[in-house]
Amino acid sequence: MNHSTVILEADKLVKTFGDSTALDGLSFQVTKGESLGLLGVNGAGKTTAMNLLLGLTTPTSGTIRMFGKDLWKHRIEILKQVNFSSAYTSLPSNLLVWQNLTVFARLYGVAKPKQRIEELLELLDITHLRKSVTGTLSAGESTRVNLAKALLNEPRLLLLDEPTASLDPDIADRVRKLLRKLQAERGLSILYTSHNMRDIEEVCDRLIFLHGGKVLAEGTPGEVHERFHRSSLEDLFIGVARGEIDAIGLKPL
Amino acid sequence: MPFSFNTVSALVLRYIYLYTRNPVRFVELIFWPLVDLLMWGFLTVYLKKQGVGEFPTAITYLIGGMILWDVLFRSQQGVSISFLEDVWTRNLLNIFVAPVRTVEYVAATCVVGVLRVGVTLLVLVLVASLAYQFHLTDLGFGLLPFLGNLILFGWFLGMISTALIMRLGQAAESLAWAVPFFIQPLASVFYPVSVLPEWLQPIAMALPCTPVFEGMRTVLAGQPVPWGSIQHAFILNLIWGTIAGLFFAVNLRHVRKAGLLVKVATQ
Ligand SMILES: Nc1ncnc2c1ncn2[C@@H]1O[C@H](COP(=O)(O)OP(=O)(O)O)[C@@H](O)[C@H]1O
Ligand SMILES: [Mg+2]
């Protein structure tokens, strides 16, 4: 792996909340143009990992480097080149879509906000929503507006926490295809969390299977489920969730 | 300390959009203070008629106190309600993952505080002068330093309220309104500090707003602007500002450690 292309480097991340350990020594890298999935059951530690990477939560121990720089020493500089979207956040519901995007374009210091916003509305096929009240959008529309916000600053790294969680299969499929396209066309790196196998298989080049804050397996989607002699990721996932597959004794590929 | 005015103005723009898009917000800015003013105003008229008028100026203390109290309150509200606005709309994480420094965020909410004060003050001053012949400009050269000190203290109370809400969670959001009223009895808004029990007086005088309200009464009684009180208030504000800043920083650190920022933002 060419070192210069490493975008994100997490090293031995540990996060404890009181007595419980949400992350137990997570290490991984994301390279330029790569999309990495964090897969795992509820409570596996996916969101915790994401929050650490975004500087929302401080790690108990371990380091995070992005673009070769330490996150906590260069937080603002790094955040300018990163963006985030999640099913669990939204843009202010009482503003119009263009107002929200204008505010964030200015927060990210976008050079030509108006033009950029038009481009993104077109790209995401939501030009007609420009003057809609953000709070009245459907889940699918809202996800696309959130994505527009997440692309405003042409991020080098996009962090997505269950972006398709509230979407129907049709819209979810469209969002996945869009992410694939962006990744291919813009060399965007993506870190994607989901408990949806389909998501990970379609969007991600590589995945980390998290369980109880530990890495259970790592590799391409195909490699991972073959390694556990399961017919599909979904099958593997169910096995882990039901305790038929134990983390003990298993090492990452 | 690095600081970007662009970031602050972008954040302020969000609140301007909010207030101009929802007329209800504007009404809220004006409605309560106006109700207050009418109450105190008519009470004043009544007292005047009853001839409780050994010192007729006493009457105007009430209106002046009410208006100046509202300056403090609106300034504090600007800071903590702006924060709550981000919590309510689940926008807080979007802001905190954007390249926004904490000082820039707090500064933006302080600017909103000043804007809120401006709108409310304009209406109150106008109505008080038309309906009750009370002219805030009677405070003369004391007016600006009085207002300035109240706005500053409002910011600091706002920062303390916000820090508490971050730490205690959204369930504690009523603190945004409770914190200023908690100090109101000590602030001597409508009566001189001397009526407080002796042991309470030093505590009251440790609040930057108390010398302002005392000073206002002095000026309305026809005496010169008490620059000593203004200086006293300003020094207290420097101390309170330091305390509020540290309190905010310590809480934010704890909140980041305990993962509470995410909790308050997504619950
Ligand atoms: N702020 C917090 N305080 C206490 N425990 C937390 C906090 N955030 C997450 N946890 C715990 O950490 C574990 C991992 O949670 P999370 O990262 O949200 O999992 P996932 O996103 O994979 O569903 C869970 O057991 C959860 O209860
Ligand atoms: Mg999660």
Side-chain angles (χ1 to χ4, degrees):
Chain A
M1 199 180 291
N2 181 351
H3 192 77
S4 67
T5 64
V6 174
I7 295 281
L8 165 63
E9 220 177 335
D11 192 32
K12 301 192 201 69
L13 288 181
V14 174
K15 184 63 195 176
T16 56
F17 294 107
D19 295 336
S20 78
T21 303
L23 280 183
D24 194 4
L26 176 64
S27 301
F28 64 90
Q29 292 188 337
V30 178
T31 55
K32 184 168 193 298
E34 180 185 38
S35 83
L36 175 69
L38 288 181
L39 181 67
V41 297
N42 284 328
K46 307 180 296 289
T47 297
T48 303
M50 198 66 99
N51 293 339
L52 292 181
L53 298 172
L54 288 162
L56 292 169
T57 312
T58 40
T60 306
S61 65
T63 55
I64 297 164
R65 295 174 71 78
M66 289 187 198
F67 321 117
K69 290 186 170 147
D70 182 85
L71 172 63
W72 282 96
K73 288 198 188 108
H74 303 269
R75 197 174 69 92
I76 297 297
E77 191 190 332
I78 287 173
L79 288 178
K80 281 183 184 163
Q81 307 173 62
V82 175
N83 215 318
F84 165 74
S85 175
S86 149
Y88 305 105
T89 62
S90 50
L91 295 169
S93 51
N94 26 31
L95 298 195
L96 306 180
V97 168
W98 72 263
Q99 291 178 324
N100 272 322
L101 293 177
T102 304
V103 169
F104 280 93
R106 294 186 51 177
L107 279 183
Y108 281 95
V110 173
K112 290 180 182 157
K114 269 203 180 127
Q115 195 181 322
R116 180 81 187 130
I117 290 168
E118 286 313 312
E119 268 171 38
L120 286 171
L121 289 175
E122 212 157 293
L123 177 74
L124 293 160
D125 201 13
I126 48 173
T127 308
H128 58 288
L129 299 178
R130 191 196 287 114
K131 288 183 181 158
S132 303
V133 179
T134 309
T136 63
L137 302 178
S138 70
E141 292 169 338
S142 171
T143 301
R144 279 180 286 169
V145 172
N146 283 343
L147 274 176
K149 171 250 148 189
L151 293 170
L152 277 170
N153 58 331
E154 305 197 48
R156 293 167 71 188
L157 174 64
L158 192 55
L159 302 172
L160 302 170
D161 193 11
E162 307 206 11
T164 57
S166 56
L167 304 181
D168 69 44
D170 170 44
I171 306 281
D173 182 60
R174 282 203 242 171
V175 169
R176 286 191 295 258
K177 295 217 161 75
L178 176 77
L179 289 172
R180 263 306 195 197
K181 188 174 128 193
L182 286 171
Q183 196 200 355
E185 285 175 7
R186 298 170 190 225
L188 184 65
S189 302
I190 299 177
L191 184 72
Y192 193 109
T193 77
S194 180
H195 52 234
N196 180 331
M197 280 53 53
R198 185 73 181 271
D199 269 12
I200 301 280
E201 275 169 340
E202 276 191 30
V203 178
C204 300
D205 306 311
R206 202 158 57 84
L207 74 89
I208 287 179
F209 202 127
L210 265 186
H211 195 63
K214 286 194 172 79
V215 176
L216 189 66
E218 189 177 349
T220 65
E223 279 167 4
V224 170
H225 76 76
E226 267 168 34
R227 180 176 153 69
F228 290 93
H229 311 293
R230 293 279 171 155
S231 59
S232 68
L233 260 184
E234 180 136 10
D235 197 23
L236 169 63
F237 192 93
I238 292 169
V240 171
R242 296 185 182 160
E244 294 162 19
I245 296 176
D246 200 342
I248 297 162
L250 296 172
K251 294 195 183 66
L253 281 172
Chain B
M1 198 189 313
F3 188 89
S4 155
F5 286 100
N6 276 335
T7 304
V8 176
S9 74
L11 289 170
V12 172
L13 180 67
R14 168 223 190 306
Y15 298 109
I16 291 177
Y17 281 149
L18 180 67
Y19 281 91
T20 49
R21 243 195 61 68
N22 297 41
V24 180
R25 301 292 172 133
F26 251 108
V27 172
E28 171 246 358
L29 262 186
I30 293 160
F31 180 77
W32 296 115
L34 216 51
V35 168
D36 262 355
L37 180 65
L38 292 178
M39 280 226 329
W40 290 105
F42 287 124
L43 179 66
T44 304
V45 172
Y46 170 70
L47 290 178
K48 261 186 183 164
K49 277 197 187 135
Q50 293 296 301
V52 192
E54 294 162 41
F55 31 8
T57 45
I59 301 305
T60 54
Y61 294 169
L62 296 178
I63 296 180
M66 183 266 140
I67 294 180
L68 289 194
W69 170 257
D70 220 65
V71 169
L72 171 65
F73 183 62
R74 295 295 139 186
S75 166
Q76 179 270 351
Q77 293 274 288
V79 176
S80 51
I81 301 292
S82 298
F83 167 77
L84 277 176
E85 207 84 60
D86 284 324
V87 172
W88 291 330
T89 58
R90 299 199 307 165
N91 184 43
L92 200 62
L93 290 194
N94 286 324
I95 304 269
F96 273 81
V97 303
V100 176
R101 294 177 185 89
T102 311
V103 272
E104 291 158 354
Y105 183 73
V106 174
T109 62
C110 289
V111 173
V112 176
V114 174
L115 295 177
R116 288 178 70 123
V117 168
V119 171
T120 310
L121 200 58
L122 198 74
V123 174
L124 289 184
V125 165
L126 217 70
V127 174
S129 121
L130 290 177
Y132 306 112
Q133 289 73 54
F134 174 85
H135 309 291
L136 197 65
T137 44
D138 288 350
L139 290 174
F141 288 117
L143 181 59
L144 282 183
F146 284 156
L147 293 180
N149 272 305
L150 291 174
I151 288 171
L152 281 178
F153 189 45
W155 288 352
F156 304 148
L157 285 181
M159 286 163 67
I160 292 170
S161 323
T162 301
L164 284 170
I165 297 167
M166 274 200 292
R167 180 142 192 171
L168 301 174
Q170 207 184 330
E173 70 180 30
S174 58
L175 282 174
W177 293 270
V179 164
F181 284 105
F182 183 72
I183 62 141
Q184 194 183 29
L186 289 179
S188 312
V189 181
F190 299 111
Y191 42 77
V193 176
S194 56
V195 306
L196 293 175
E198 210 144 297
W199 62 273
L200 264 181
Q201 292 182 17
I203 304 177
M205 286 307 278
L207 302 171
C209 55
T210 314
V212 171
F213 290 113
E214 291 279 279
M216 169 201 73
R217 282 184 288 269
T218 307
V219 177
L220 289 183
Q223 289 167 41
V225 176
W227 293 103
S229 299
I230 287 170
Q231 195 182 13
H232 179 164
F234 186 69
I235 290 168
L236 284 175
N237 260 325
L238 292 181
I239 297 170
W240 274 85
T242 311
I243 294 173
L246 287 174
F247 187 74
F248 195 91
V250 166
N251 269 285
L252 185 62
R253 192 147 98 203
H254 171 82
V255 159
R256 280 210 162 105
K257 218 170 169 177
L260 298 177
L261 196 58
V262 184
K263 250 188 194 164
V264 78
T266 53
Q267 68 194 178

